[in-house]
Amino acid sequence: MVEIPAWFWTATIVLVIGLFVFDLVVAVRRPHAVHLGEATFWSVFYIAVAILFGFATWWQLGTTAGTEYFAGWIVEKSLSVDNLFVFVIIMARFSVPAEFQQKALLFGIAAALVLRTIFIAVGAAAIQLFSFTFLIFGLILIWTAVQLVRHRNEEPDVEDNFLVRRARKIMPVSNDFHGGKMLAHENGQRVMTPLLLVFIAIGSTDLLFALDSIPAVYGVTHEPFLVFAANAFALLGLRALYFLIEGLLERLVYLSIGLSVILAFIGVKLILLFLHEDVNKAIPEIPTPLSLVVILLILVVTTVASIVRVRAHPEEKAKAHSIRMRRKPKKEEEERRSS
């Protein structure tokens, strides 16, 4: 384990909270539709901040910590792109006006960051207490990889997840966005606006993604601090990245296959680690620098192959890959599209 100074922990948390508050002020102070130039600027800004933090980690904590951070951040960033597919569907299903999409994304991402922090703490405790935790994580990732490929051509039903259904039962839902409010009054009655349902849908969706992404990042680093930092900096730039690549997502037709290969690779890495530590030291481990190279190579090949495929078959479009969400039966989906 890497020794993390208390001041480095504190500085990182302050930086993450400061960046999020700054992002919130920028997005909510003046609701507006985000254009390509603005999305590009903020995407580059947050990627630059994440990279600079990685160099600071490398300098302060050493080469091993720096390599593990970058590997974890790249894994989380690539998995976050998969989140964006579902976010696009959510925005479309609830017909969210362009000027309110930033607010919904940010509140959803804030909830995701809090929930992932809890998951990271639970994962760290499990690793300390149970030697077979890496085996379980590895099997979860391999199972997820298989399911990701199996369901790559299906679309999740984002309006019918458990928390959204419960929210509808607790309070009436308005058809009006009421200027971007979460709650409002109609005819003397307190109601939820569709924006609150969008916030719940985004937050709960990311919670489901965290069940896979947290074990994945623990596959490249066992240090909770680096797991937290990789998740935080991957999530912070998600709002801007959403608007930057919203129109490009459907071109990544092989993303589900690429991500499934990455998850399966990390799953095998975790299982080998368990066997090395608990069964036989002669069983080889997969070093983190090699993991970083393999993950980058898979992402490059996936992206290039997707671009080549779409050029040859422009009618093909990528789909969301949230395998844990309820999916529309094919007949129901066909009826929705025809209407």
Side-chain angles (χ1 to χ4, degrees):
M1 299 288 283
V2 181
E3 186 70 27
I4 311 296
W7 72 265
F8 203 68
W9 255 111
T10 304
T12 301
I13 293 172
V14 170
L15 176 61
V16 169
I17 293 175
L19 286 171
F20 178 78
V21 171
F22 174 72
D23 211 17
L24 187 65
V25 170
V26 169
V28 177
R29 181 187 59 181
R30 183 176 60 87
H32 62 284
V34 178
H35 300 294
L36 182 61
E38 180 183 352
T40 301
F41 173 82
W42 288 114
S43 294
V44 171
F45 171 79
Y46 281 110
I47 289 174
V49 168
I51 292 174
L52 288 173
F53 179 83
F55 286 139
T57 300
W58 200 308
W59 173 68
Q60 183 64 40
L61 304 180
T63 303
T64 300
T67 304
E68 290 181 355
Y69 164 78
F70 278 116
W73 177 68
I74 290 171
V75 167
E76 290 302 310
K77 203 68 176 176
S78 59
L79 291 173
S80 292
V81 172
D82 202 33
N83 292 32
L84 296 182
F85 274 96
V86 183
F87 292 174
V88 169
I89 294 173
I90 291 172
M91 296 296 182
R93 289 283 195 278
F94 288 94
S95 302
V96 182
E99 62 269 24
F100 301 140
Q101 291 183 7
Q102 289 195 86
K103 183 176 181 179
L105 282 169
L106 272 175
F107 278 94
I109 290 169
L113 185 56
V114 172
L115 292 171
R116 287 192 182 206
T117 301
I118 296 172
F119 275 28
I120 290 168
V122 171
I127 290 170
Q128 290 291 326
L129 293 173
F130 308 109
S131 61
F132 55 81
T133 299
F134 288 126
L135 175 62
I136 294 174
F137 280 0
L139 293 174
I140 288 174
L141 292 179
I142 292 174
W143 179 85
T144 301
V146 172
Q147 297 302 312
L148 201 57
V149 172
R150 285 185 57 199
H151 298 286
R152 66 186 182 278
N153 293 320
E154 299 176 24
E155 192 169 275
D157 186 0
V158 297
E159 296 173 275
D160 196 37
N161 77 50
F162 174 76
L163 291 180
V164 172
R165 292 199 307 271
R166 292 299 303 170
R168 290 182 185 276
K169 292 180 180 180
I170 292 173
M171 189 180 296
V173 182
S174 171
N175 292 321
D176 194 334
F177 280 86
H178 289 277
K181 295 179 180 179
M182 297 283 187
L183 298 171
H185 284 88
E186 286 185 354
N187 303 319
Q189 186 179 29
R190 195 166 183 80
V191 296
M192 287 187 293
T193 71
L195 200 62
L196 181 55
L197 285 184
V198 170
F199 160 65
I200 294 172
I202 289 176
S204 57
T205 297
D206 199 89
L207 174 61
L208 296 176
F209 274 102
L211 296 175
D212 302 323
S213 66
I214 298 302
V217 75
Y218 266 118
V220 293
T221 177
H222 311 154
E223 173 53 55
F225 168 80
L226 298 176
V227 174
F228 168 77
N231 270 271
F233 286 105
L235 286 174
L236 274 171
L238 209 56
R239 173 190 66 86
L241 191 62
Y242 170 87
F243 295 104
L244 177 63
I245 66 174
E246 179 182 2
L248 302 177
L249 286 173
E250 62 185 22
R251 295 177 179 270
L252 300 176
V253 292
Y254 291 135
L255 180 63
S256 60
I257 296 175
L259 291 178
S260 68
V261 174
I262 290 174
L263 291 177
F265 170 75
I266 298 175
V268 171
K269 182 179 187 297
L270 284 169
I271 292 173
L272 287 175
L273 176 62
F274 165 76
L275 294 176
H276 176 83
E277 295 290 340
D278 289 66
V279 179
N280 190 335
K281 292 293 184 181
I283 296 174
E285 296 180 87
I286 300 176
T288 298
L290 177 59
S291 301
L292 179 57
V293 172
V294 170
I295 291 166
L296 286 172
L297 183 61
I298 293 171
L299 290 174
V300 170
V301 171
T302 298
T303 303
V304 172
S306 295
I307 293 172
V308 172
R309 179 66 182 180
V310 170
R311 283 182 177 176
H313 301 274
E315 74 282 359
E316 291 192 14
K317 298 183 186 301
K319 295 182 181 294
H321 316 121
S322 182
I323 63 170
R324 298 181 188 277
M325 301 176 70
R326 176 185 178 273
R327 293 183 174 274
K328 290 178 178 294
K330 289 185 178 179
K331 183 176 180 181
E332 181 182 342
E333 180 61 20
E334 289 171 0
E335 291 175 353
R336 184 189 69 78
R337 289 182 176 179
S338 63
S339 63

